[in-house]
Amino acid sequence: MAEHHYKFNVTMTCGGCSGAVERVLKRLDVRIVNGSSSAGVKSYDVSLDTQSADVTTGEALDYATVLKTIKKTGKKVNSGEADGEPKSIDE
């Protein structure tokens, strides 16, 4: 099964901010997408220091879903990329 690697630059000012992003990504981890429980988030690294969220997902979890999930925290997403290619942050 192929994987995707998504990277987001997210404005986070404190540990609570990065914790909020980690919590929503963890919830995606157990989500069933298109009938496959292995299609969610495989790993993630949220860094307050670098203002980034690096996410590795299964093939079925798309960029737009991960972006929308991070935006639900209320944190500003400044840029994003999918599999090394710059992507829009507008939904």
Side-chain angles (χ1 to χ4, degrees):
M1 177 190 279
E3 293 181 338
H4 293 293
H5 181 222
Y6 305 129
K7 184 170 185 173
F8 301 91
N9 175 275
V10 184
T11 300
M12 299 176 282
T13 57
C14 65
C17 294
S18 58
V21 174
E22 287 179 359
R23 281 189 297 280
V24 296
L25 291 174
K26 185 174 183 168
R27 280 191 226 125
L28 272 180
D29 187 30
V30 297
R31 185 175 159 193
I32 296 176
V33 179
N34 293 334
S36 173
S37 61
S38 64
V41 172
K42 293 183 176 285
S43 66
Y44 59 86
D45 180 42
V46 178
S47 173
L48 181 59
D49 291 337
T50 61
Q51 301 284 290
S52 66
D54 292 310
V55 185
T56 301
T57 72
E59 187 174 17
L61 187 54
D62 65 5
Y63 172 86
T65 301
V66 178
L67 173 64
K68 184 177 176 182
T69 300
I70 292 173
K71 283 185 168 187
K72 283 183 181 179
T73 66
K75 308 302 166 225
K76 182 179 180 192
V77 178
N78 302 301
S79 64
E81 64 181 56
D83 300 323
E85 298 290 324
K87 298 286 275 185
S88 173
I89 55 168
D90 299 319
E91 293 180 55

